[in-house]
Amino acid sequence: MPEQMIGRYVIKAELGRGGMATVYHAYDPRFKRDVALKVLPREFLHAPTFRVRFEREAQTIALLEHPAIVPVYDSGEEEGQPYLVMRYMTGGSLADRMARGLLSLWELAQIFERVGDALDEAHSHGIVHRDVTPRNILFDGKNTAYLSDFGIAKIVAASSVFTKGGIIGNPAYMSPEQARGERKLDGRSDVYSLGAVLFHALTDQPPYEAETPLGLALRHITDPVPTISAARPELSPAWQAIVARALAKYPADRYPTAGDLARAVHDTAAEQREVTAQVADASSQVPSPPPATPERSVIPALPQESHGSDVPPTWRPKSTQPTPWVYELRKGRSRRIPALIGIVGGLMAATLLAVSIGGALMQSGVTSPTEGNSTATVDTSTT
């Protein structure tokens, strides 16, 4: 099967398809590197001034030099289809990461810091992105965030075929003035779109939803700013304040720059991170309760004399010696029965001994002091 080529670029796979462009993973044989190739629809060439505007915008975008902007390498036209060639980002998009679950607040702060700085750089050159969405925030192999597709929406807007009655951009993140079709947009339109991305990243849902693109655009124009507390009640009220300002209906009420919005996100995330760390530290310093004192063993009553398997389960003979009164508990060291029996036996033996001695003395003539006189007499006479 012959390789598919666009210009000198070898198409390896299709990465995505949308209303404004089809994106391919391609290979540049001249520089021996992978690239992302965006092909715009052929219909654009029907606009009389499109080719001139396309070349001018492509050159302007290619001049953007910023560490958080995906660079444009080349542009051209192949069989009536204009295309742009950009760096290929291997880490996927923010949309991919959001689909896997909520991001941490600190991770969001790092992403917004780079994206906000990239937008400020573009705005300083008079370039409005017009299509800030999670799919246009990309990551390289080291998880570093970049903003892509600068000026694509403006290039598309140059074609009257697509601007008559149509909506240029993604209506889920579109500013009210862009939804109204205003041509003279400034950087605060991108601030709104970035705020919509923030709302989506915090709550796992876009700020507004509707069944049609037109209905969605109208909601950005007329509906009040949504709240995040229903989806994330654990978040600080400061996050709602950031969202409310970023999604203000009038540009003058928003953050002046994307960098200002990014700094608000960073500061709020840092404060919440510090509070979380303090709570964790305080929890670790709470003294743990002392270990429970084990109950002292209580020697149960002596068992009845038994044989073989009739021995109670909590007792067993310590040895095979014929000493029936010595037992040990199953747990702990062996313990002897108190020596009361031994003491009683000793007393009895002493008594018997005294009786024996007394009898012997009586037979030999020694009398008890209690019998007769107060002093004992001994018969010393001889017969």
Side-chain angles (χ1 to χ4, degrees):
M1 182 177 179
E3 293 180 332
Q4 182 184 358
M5 305 283 292
I6 296 180
R8 72 170 187 266
Y9 303 97
V10 180
I11 303 301
K12 300 177 72 173
E14 181 177 317
L15 296 177
R17 185 182 296 266
M20 294 188 294
T22 301
V23 187
Y24 295 99
H25 177 196
Y27 178 73
D28 183 355
R30 177 180 297 176
F31 293 101
K32 295 180 173 55
R33 64 185 176 187
D34 286 349
V35 296
L37 193 144
K38 289 185 178 288
V39 180
L40 282 69
R42 290 186 176 89
E43 291 83 355
F44 285 1
L45 294 178
H46 295 294
T49 59
F50 174 78
R51 184 176 282 104
V52 175
R53 291 185 179 184
F54 173 78
E55 293 177 356
R56 183 179 62 202
E57 292 299 329
Q59 291 172 0
T60 302
I61 298 167
L63 292 176
L64 284 177
E65 291 287 345
H66 189 274
I69 294 177
V70 178
V72 174
Y73 294 149
D74 191 15
S75 65
E77 181 182 323
E78 177 72 14
E79 297 180 357
Q81 282 189 287
Y83 62 83
L84 291 171
V85 182
M86 293 170 286
R87 178 186 294 171
Y88 177 62
M89 308 298 290
T90 61
S93 68
L94 179 59
D96 298 330
R97 298 193 175 196
M98 289 166 55
R100 295 194 292 265
L102 293 171
L103 284 74
S104 71
L105 299 178
W106 189 246
E107 186 178 3
L108 277 178
Q110 305 304 305
I111 295 170
F112 272 68
E113 186 175 13
R114 286 182 59 83
V115 172
D117 199 28
L119 285 171
D120 284 352
E121 175 67 16
H123 296 161
S124 69
H125 292 278
I127 299 174
V128 180
H129 192 288
R130 299 170 183 255
D131 195 27
V132 178
T133 71
R135 291 210 169 275
N136 285 331
I137 298 175
L138 306 178
F139 299 88
D140 63 9
K142 298 180 180 180
N143 293 323
T144 305
Y146 291 78
L147 188 58
S148 70
D149 283 2
F150 271 97
I152 296 294
K154 188 174 182 181
I155 292 173
V156 173
S159 172
S160 59
V161 174
F162 278 75
T163 55
K164 288 182 179 179
I167 299 175
I168 304 304
N170 190 323
Y173 310 95
M174 187 177 291
S175 69
E177 58 269 29
Q178 188 177 357
R180 287 192 294 266
E182 297 180 14
R183 296 297 186 92
K184 293 185 177 180
L185 303 177
D186 61 23
R188 292 171 296 182
S189 179
D190 287 341
V191 170
Y192 183 98
S193 298
L194 190 60
V197 172
L198 174 63
F199 184 94
H200 195 167
L202 288 173
T203 65
D204 198 28
Q205 60 189 23
Y208 304 106
E209 295 180 296
E211 295 182 356
T212 65
L214 182 58
L216 190 53
L218 288 175
R219 295 198 65 183
H220 281 281
I221 297 172
T222 60
D223 284 14
V225 176
T227 60
I228 63 175
S229 58
R232 299 286 301 277
E234 77 278 8
L235 292 181
S236 164
W239 291 104
Q240 180 61 40
I242 294 174
V243 168
R245 186 175 181 185
L247 297 181
K249 302 301 179 182
Y250 298 98
D253 296 331
R254 299 173 198 152
Y255 290 97
T257 68
D260 291 328
L261 169 57
R263 280 185 286 276
V265 171
H266 181 277
D267 293 345
T268 304
E271 290 174 3
Q272 191 148 348
R273 190 185 193 193
E274 182 177 355
V275 169
T276 302
Q278 290 175 352
V279 171
D281 184 62
S283 299
S284 65
Q285 294 180 4
V286 174
S288 58
T293 303
E295 296 183 0
R296 299 182 62 181
S297 300
V298 178
I299 299 176
L302 291 175
Q304 298 295 325
E305 183 177 357
S306 57
H307 304 278
S309 60
D310 293 332
V311 176
T314 55
W315 292 83
R316 69 181 180 200
K318 182 178 181 181
S319 67
T320 58
Q321 299 298 323
T323 308
W325 297 109
V326 179
Y327 294 87
E328 66 175 1
L329 294 175
R330 285 186 176 178
K331 293 185 180 180
R333 301 182 60 184
S334 62
R335 300 182 60 181
R336 294 182 181 274
I337 301 301
L340 178 59
I341 298 174
I343 295 173
V344 173
L347 290 175
M348 293 176 64
T351 302
L352 292 174
L353 180 61
V355 171
S356 300
I357 295 173
L361 291 175
M362 289 177 66
Q363 291 177 1
S364 61
V366 178
T367 62
S368 171
T370 58
E371 296 182 10
N373 297 329
S374 60
T375 58
T377 62
V378 178
D379 185 3
T380 57
S381 64
T382 59
T383 58

